[in-house]
Amino acid sequence: AQSVAQPEDQVNVAEGNPLTVKCTYSVSGNPYLFWYVQYPNRGLQFLLKYITGDNLVKGSYGFEAEFNKSQTSFHLKKPSALVSDSALYFCAVSPFASGGSYIPTFGRGTSLIVHP
Amino acid sequence: DVKVTQSSRYLVKRTGEKVFLECVQDMDHENMFWYRQDPGLGLRLIYFSYDVKMKEKGDIPEGYSVSREKKERFSLILESASTNQTSMYLCASIGLAEDTGELFFGEGSRLTVL
């Protein structure tokens, strides 16, 4: 069975400072890893993904994430936080499945609060 | 752009009522999902469907059923709503041809059961 852990319910950071939102995972075989963002009363929006290749992946709105296979982690990062980055962030994992059948598992979410 | 549309953004129902939540996607996706989102619990999979008239139970199917009569439409049904089904419901889809795996979500339906 696959699982995702987001150890922090909330992350607070000052505007302009770097931010990190943590994610660790457990899955059989090679993982597909994702980050999604949710603004209040909205659906989830895709931010970035790791499939294969370079361990550092870049996504929307200046976010990036680093895949670390030995630590089974996929932390979300941004060099300089904006107040508008304040939202709920979800990490998700699904096993690589040929034929395109994906059943992703989501973490519980981390609320990012960026203070002016 | 892929669009996933959930017909009702906010609903208020009474205990025992039958509730239909509709979801339509416009990109010919084979796979569709219904999730429930509750604070501190993240997203939990209720049901998913990988083809017309096909459905599979997710992690929390009790109290729910689904219908997929057409490829673009996936409906979630609460046969007899209860207060513990008050939640945010999210529909998502993905196509088999997609080799990248990200889901496309609707805006959500916030259901309150009184």
Side-chain angles (χ1 to χ4, degrees):
Chain A
Q2 63 209 42
S3 64
V4 174
Q6 293 181 242
E8 303 151 318
D9 291 335
Q10 184 171 302
V11 170
N12 290 278
V13 64
E15 188 173 33
N17 283 2
L19 69 87
T20 299
V21 182
K22 296 180 180 177
C23 171
T24 59
Y25 68 90
S26 173
V27 68
S28 299
N30 295 320
Y32 283 10
L33 292 157
F34 307 87
W35 277 101
Y36 292 84
V37 61
Q38 184 182 36
Y39 298 100
N41 296 312
R42 304 294 296 277
L44 276 68
Q45 298 175 33
F46 169 74
L47 266 184
L48 51 78
K49 63 179 180 261
Y50 171 82
I51 304 299
T52 187
D54 194 351
N55 289 346
L56 184 66
V57 294
K58 295 186 183 296
S60 307
Y61 312 120
F63 283 93
E64 58 190 27
E66 186 168 11
F67 171 63
N68 187 317
K69 188 172 184 178
S70 62
Q71 296 185 5
T72 62
S73 67
F74 190 56
H75 300 331
L76 181 70
K77 300 181 180 184
K78 187 174 182 181
S80 179
L82 299 172
V83 173
S84 58
D85 293 330
S86 299
L88 191 57
Y89 291 81
F90 289 94
C91 182
V93 65
S94 65
F96 172 78
S98 61
S101 177
Y102 303 100
I103 309 297
T105 296
F106 287 82
R108 294 187 173 190
T110 298
S111 178
L112 173 66
I113 299 174
V114 182
H115 302 278
Chain B
D1 284 349
V2 173
K3 190 166 185 180
V4 178
T5 303
Q6 295 184 230
S7 56
S8 302
R9 292 293 309 277
Y10 300 94
L11 304 93
V12 179
K13 298 292 182 180
R14 297 203 175 275
T15 300
E17 281 192 86
K18 190 169 186 176
V19 181
F20 292 88
L21 300 180
E22 303 285 341
C23 176
V24 177
Q25 49 92 5
D26 65 358
M27 282 299 290
D28 203 36
H29 283 173
E30 289 82 3
N31 292 346
M32 297 187 74
F33 304 80
W34 275 107
Y35 287 91
R36 171 176 171 161
Q37 181 182 8
D38 299 288
L41 297 178
L43 274 67
R44 293 179 291 169
L45 182 63
I46 304 172
Y47 268 96
F48 66 97
S49 169
Y50 51 89
D51 203 351
V52 176
K53 297 191 185 295
M54 305 301 287
K55 60 185 179 184
E56 294 286 344
K57 293 180 179 180
D59 299 320
I60 52 163
E62 296 79 17
Y64 304 94
S65 62
V66 291
S67 172
R68 188 138 181 231
E69 296 297 319
K70 294 184 178 181
K71 191 174 185 180
E72 67 271 19
R73 187 180 299 270
F74 191 35
S75 302
L76 180 68
I77 303 156
L78 288 67
E79 294 289 343
S80 178
S82 62
T83 55
N84 62 12
Q85 293 179 308
T86 292
S87 187
M88 170 74 107
Y89 292 89
L90 294 166
C91 176
S93 73
I94 186 172
L96 285 178
E98 303 286 337
D99 62 357
T100 52
E102 68 261 32
L103 295 175
F104 296 88
F105 281 86
E107 292 291 284
S109 298
R110 186 169 294 280
L111 172 66
T112 301
V113 183
L114 302 176

